[in-house]
């Protein structure tokens, strides 16, 4: 009677498959961290001057007397991401609100499909748009000599991040039970009051996750930023100035370095920095979300 | 007079003074259907000020549909069509341009308590805030008064800041009653409020409702026949979308009925 039958084995195998799938996320993230740290460690412990790294804008890894000041790269990434968020957070939250709360039937379905299609456009295509459409457009409209810079990269990045943020935010809004909306409307709240006093507070965790995903996208995006930012080491003083991003620096320089050399190590140090910043953003979000839940 | 059924005049009740004046709700030829399927047919009756009007009947009899039509929740439900007319205070509910003003005068308590994802305090202060009350002292006063009237104040006064959804089921239902009262409604609609509430709490809420009778009009939809007997001045019996009978609660329960089906339901021969 008590024989191990096929169902028992299938159950065991399925358990293992799911377990491996679940644990792999942790394995991969630890693996990546170990890998970039290992490659960058010699440089961090050796030639790196932390003061110079964070305060100097002189990134000259190939000079006879190399200097590794990453300030301009950090500011470049931060300014482009900040600009992008300024554009995409209101845009995508607005779009999500419209799709989730106001659009009905066909409009809603068409919009959802279109937004998801936007999210699937490869970043290099966005880079094309930045170089060949936005670049001349910015030069003409603002009468500036160069259209590649914070404004261009920020716009492109904002448009890239918006569809994903919209999708996640819309899911969060849709997850709010309709009974909440009914209860609030029965109390005499208008639709805007229902949205601002009930739906948004109830879905703020999801909305925050959407925004942070957008920020993460901004930090990590490489190709489109490389193409649209002008890729010049520079502390921007106006939206039209060219900048250079951390990611773009790694992508464009890594092919020309000697494996294991100082330049190689310095690029991995940039990688560590990116990793740590992303990690801190996620951790902060997690703590904030937990804090909200506890209340 | 319509059909001879609907307009049985109210009579003095054992609970207190007789209600008088014109009816607060006049329902005429009300028909409700969902996507062509009828849920309520040609119902006509009046509800008077300061009465507790009970509605009994088995599932799918049209009780809840009637409540939803009263505060125009049909705007919410796709496919819900309402024919005929409902006048509240002499005004057709469909003539309200400002739907939100209409709803804010009608308190609703649903079968399962819906605590808004807010603190206990904010749940009760929600409606006053919508009306523009901002002063803390004034809000405190409203919150305390409504929670007291809903027999909940003593249990929650030390944790007004915690989430309403953390209260027990019975407490949450009293919270929704407190919230409905905070609207200062003329009309309180209760839809099978005791489904998720233990018997002791149910009795406490019933006492609250009896007290409230002096201040407002209550429409009580219930699946518990005995609850209607305990509370309602007059009771209507709905069956599969038909208003079978309406009369003084005592009459119905003493067998003074026009239609045998009413007695059959009350005595539990079918449900």
């Amino acid at each position: 009677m008590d024989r191990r039958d096929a169902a028992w084995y299938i159950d065991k195998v399925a358990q293992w498959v799911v377990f491996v799938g679940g644990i792999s996320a942790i394995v991969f993230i630890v693996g990546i961290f170990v890998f970039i740290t290992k490659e960058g460690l010699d440089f961090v412990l050796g030639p790196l001057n932390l003061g110079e790294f964070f305060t100097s804008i002189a990134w000259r890894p190939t000079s006879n007397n190399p200097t590794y000041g990453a300030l301009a790269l950090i500011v470049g990434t931060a300014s482009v991401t900040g600009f992008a968020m300024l554009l995409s957070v209101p845009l995508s939250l607005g779009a999500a609100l419209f799709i989730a709360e106001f659009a009905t039937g066909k409009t809603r379905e068409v919009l959802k499909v279109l937004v998801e299609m936007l999210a699937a456009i490869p970043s290099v295509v966005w880079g094309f748009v930045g170089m060949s459409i936005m670049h001349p457009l910015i030069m003409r409209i603002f009468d500036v000599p160069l259209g590649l810079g914070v404004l261009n990269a920020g716009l492109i990045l904002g448009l890239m991040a918006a569809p994903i943020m919209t999708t996640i935010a819309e899911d969060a809004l849709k997850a709010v039970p309709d009974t909440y909306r009914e209860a609030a409307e029965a109390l005499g709240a208008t639709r805007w009051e229902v949205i601002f006093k009930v739906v948004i507070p109830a879905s703020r965790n999801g909305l925050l996750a959407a925004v942070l995903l957008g920020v993460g996208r901004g930090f990590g995006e490489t190709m489109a930023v490389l193409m649209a930012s002008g890729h010049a080491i520079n502390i921007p003083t106006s939206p039209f100035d060219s900048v250079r991003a951390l990611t773009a620096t790694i992508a464009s320089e890594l092919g020309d370095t000697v494996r294991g050399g100082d330049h190689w190590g310095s690029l991995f140090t940039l990688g560590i920095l990116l990793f740590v910043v992303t990690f801190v953003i996620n951790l902060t979000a997690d703590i904030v979300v937990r804090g909200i839940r506890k209340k | 007079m319509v059909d001879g059924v609907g307009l049985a005049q109210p009579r003095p009740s054992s609970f207190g003074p007789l209600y008088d004046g014109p009816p607060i709700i006049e329902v005429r030829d009300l028909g409700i259907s969902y996507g062509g399927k009828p849920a309520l047919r040609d119902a006509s009756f009046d509800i008077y000020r300061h009465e507790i009007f009970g509605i009994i009947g088995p599932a799918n009899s049209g009780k809840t549909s009637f409540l939803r039509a009263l505060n125009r929740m049909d705007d919410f439900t796709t496919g819900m069509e309402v024919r005929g007319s409902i006048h509240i205070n002499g005004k057709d509910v469909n003539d309200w341009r400002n739907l939100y003003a209409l709803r804010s005068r009608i308190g609703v308590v649903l079968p399962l308590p819906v605590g808004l994802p807010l603190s206990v305090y904010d749940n009760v202060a929600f409606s006053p805030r919508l009306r523009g009350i901002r002063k803390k002292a004034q809000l405190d006063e409203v919150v305390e008064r409504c929670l007291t009237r809903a027999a909940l104040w003593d249990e929650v006064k030390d944790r007004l800041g915690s989430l309403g959804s953390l209260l027990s089921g019975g407490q949450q239902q009293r919270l929704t009653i407190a919230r409905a009262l905070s609207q200062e409604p003329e009309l309180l609609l209760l839809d099978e409020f005791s489904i998720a509430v233990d018997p002791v709490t149910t009795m406490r809420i019933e006492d609250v409702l009896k007290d409230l009778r002096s201040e407002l009009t209550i429409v009580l939809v219930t699946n518990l026949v005995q609850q209607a007997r305990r509370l309602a001045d007059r009771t209507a019996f709905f069956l599969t979308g038909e208003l079978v009978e309406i009369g003084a609660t005592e009459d119905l329960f003493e067998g003074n009925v026009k239609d045998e089906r009413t007695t059959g339901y009350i005595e539990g021969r079918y449900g």
Side-chain angles (χ1 to χ4, degrees):
Chain A
M1 289 301 275
D2 187 27
R3 280 260 236 28
R4 290 176 175 179
D5 56 6
W8 188 88
Y9 285 106
I10 291 172
D11 194 55
K12 277 285 153 202
V13 170
Q15 267 185 34
W16 271 99
V17 169
V18 173
F19 175 74
V20 169
I23 205 93
S24 66
I26 302 172
V27 171
F28 285 134
I29 203 147
V30 171
I32 290 169
F33 185 71
V34 168
F35 169 70
I36 59 168
T37 313
K38 187 172 78 65
E39 295 296 325
L41 200 62
D42 283 347
F43 179 78
V44 173
L45 297 177
L48 175 69
N49 174 343
L50 266 184
E52 180 192 62
F53 188 74
F54 283 112
T55 58
S56 161
I57 66 162
W59 180 259
R60 294 196 207 93
T62 51
S63 145
N64 285 334
N65 187 12
T67 55
Y68 302 97
L71 181 65
L73 311 180
I74 296 168
V75 173
T77 288
S79 60
V80 170
T81 308
F83 208 93
M85 290 305 115
L86 233 51
L87 173 75
S88 63
V89 169
L91 191 69
S92 48
L93 292 189
L97 272 180
F98 179 73
I99 296 176
E101 301 292 320
F102 293 99
T104 50
K106 269 225 169 77
T107 325
R108 193 178 129 76
E109 292 312 311
V110 169
L111 274 175
K112 277 191 72 134
V113 171
L114 282 180
V115 167
E116 273 154 27
M117 270 168 65
L118 270 182
I121 296 176
S123 63
V124 70
V125 174
W126 285 109
F128 272 140
V129 174
M131 273 185 144
S132 58
I133 300 177
M134 304 296 286
H135 174 45
L137 213 60
I138 289 172
M139 285 200 296
R140 205 178 318 141
I141 293 175
F142 297 102
D143 196 24
V144 286
L146 184 70
L148 299 174
V150 176
L151 177 66
N152 193 333
L155 283 173
I156 292 294
L157 203 56
L159 292 175
M160 282 180 73
I164 293 177
M165 286 166 69
T166 306
T167 308
I168 306 275
E170 198 248 341
D171 287 345
L173 293 171
K174 269 287 142 201
V176 176
D178 275 342
T179 51
Y180 288 177
R181 296 184 179 86
E182 282 197 20
E185 289 221 13
L187 287 166
T190 65
R191 292 186 83 171
W192 279 114
E193 286 166 341
V194 172
I195 289 170
F196 281 107
K197 298 193 170 152
V198 177
V199 177
I200 290 183
S203 58
R204 59 189 155 186
N205 291 355
L207 297 180
L208 189 69
V211 169
L212 284 166
L213 210 73
V215 173
R217 178 96 209 243
F219 258 86
E221 176 50 38
T222 307
M223 189 47 77
V225 176
L226 175 64
M227 291 166 82
S229 65
H231 204 52
I233 294 174
N234 184 24
I235 299 270
T237 51
S238 92
F240 306 107
D241 285 353
S242 288
V243 290
R244 194 159 165 182
L246 290 163
T247 48
T249 306
I250 298 175
S252 61
E253 292 182 4
L254 194 62
D256 303 330
T257 59
V258 180
R259 194 183 168 95
D262 282 355
H263 190 188
W264 166 276
S266 71
L267 293 178
F268 273 92
T269 309
L270 296 183
I272 295 172
L273 180 67
L274 273 171
F275 190 91
V276 169
V277 169
T278 327
F279 190 74
V280 167
I281 289 176
N282 281 318
L283 201 67
T284 319
D286 204 48
I287 290 166
V288 170
V289 167
R290 268 165 214 276
I292 291 169
R293 276 211 200 110
K294 238 183 224 152
K295 209 182 133 207
Chain B
M1 283 279 169
V2 184
D3 299 345
V5 198
L7 305 178
Q9 282 297 316
R11 50 180 228 183
S13 115
S14 49
F15 295 129
L18 172 68
Y19 22 71
D20 51 8
I24 182 168
I25 304 176
E26 297 161 90
V27 180
R28 293 293 175 273
D29 302 321
L30 183 69
I32 300 171
S33 54
Y34 296 94
K37 271 186 67 184
L40 187 65
R41 287 183 303 270
D42 299 325
S44 298
F45 54 95
D46 290 343
I47 296 173
Y48 292 87
R49 235 168 258 285
H50 299 300
E51 76 170 326
I52 298 184
F53 186 83
I55 299 179
I56 57 172
N60 292 320
S61 54
K63 310 182 299 271
T64 301
S65 297
F66 167 63
L67 291 191
R68 292 182 74 87
L70 266 183
N71 75 340
R72 300 253 326 262
M73 281 306 216
D74 52 312
D75 294 28
F76 243 114
T77 321
T78 40
M80 178 170 170
E81 302 139 42
V82 179
R83 291 174 313 281
S85 72
I86 300 174
H87 286 75
I88 297 181
N89 284 331
K91 187 170 175 180
D92 192 325
V93 292
N94 282 309
D95 289 347
W96 283 80
R97 282 230 199 94
N98 185 349
L99 186 54
Y100 310 107
L102 168 71
R103 287 187 184 145
S104 67
R105 296 167 69 172
I106 303 177
V108 183
V109 177
L110 299 168
L112 298 174
V114 179
L116 292 172
L118 306 166
S119 70
V120 172
Y121 184 97
D122 290 339
N123 259 287
V124 184
F126 189 88
S127 174
R129 281 184 177 135
L130 291 182
R131 272 181 284 139
I133 298 177
R134 289 272 173 273
K135 285 198 192 104
K136 183 87 171 71
Q138 216 176 337
L139 284 173
D140 287 350
E141 194 268 318
V142 173
V143 169
E144 178 170 354
R145 177 159 45 85
C146 294
L147 285 172
T148 308
R149 283 165 78 191
L152 186 61
W153 174 254
D154 289 335
E155 291 165 49
V156 299
K157 65 184 173 202
D158 298 323
R159 45 184 203 158
L160 292 173
S162 70
L163 272 178
S165 50
L166 297 179
L167 298 177
S168 77
Q171 289 173 329
Q172 282 195 47
Q173 193 59 295
R174 277 177 284 159
L175 178 62
T176 62
I177 291 175
R179 199 173 63 198
L181 294 177
S182 74
Q183 298 173 239
E184 289 171 9
E186 290 173 65
L187 196 56
L188 183 62
L189 314 180
L190 296 124
D191 189 1
E192 305 191 348
F193 73 88
S194 52
I195 277 188
V197 181
D198 64 276
V200 176
T201 310
T202 302
M203 298 312 286
R204 294 188 66 178
I205 297 177
E206 288 186 5
D207 289 340
V208 170
L209 296 178
K210 282 181 209 160
D211 289 344
L212 286 171
R213 210 171 139 270
S214 59
E215 294 164 54
L216 39 80
T217 309
I218 297 174
V219 180
L220 173 80
V221 166
T222 179
N223 54 340
L224 305 173
V225 179
Q226 292 305 323
Q227 187 169 62
R229 182 174 205 173
R230 286 193 295 269
L231 290 176
D233 300 293
R234 289 189 307 145
T235 296
F237 173 51
F238 284 26
L239 181 66
T240 56
E242 182 192 347
L243 170 59
V244 176
E245 163 139 25
I246 192 165
T249 305
E250 291 159 49
D251 285 348
L252 296 189
F253 279 85
E254 280 157 17
N256 262 332
V257 294
K258 299 189 193 77
D259 194 311
E260 265 312 303
R261 288 177 293 175
T262 311
T263 312
Y265 179 71
I266 287 174
E267 292 181 353
R269 265 179 260 142
Y270 60 91

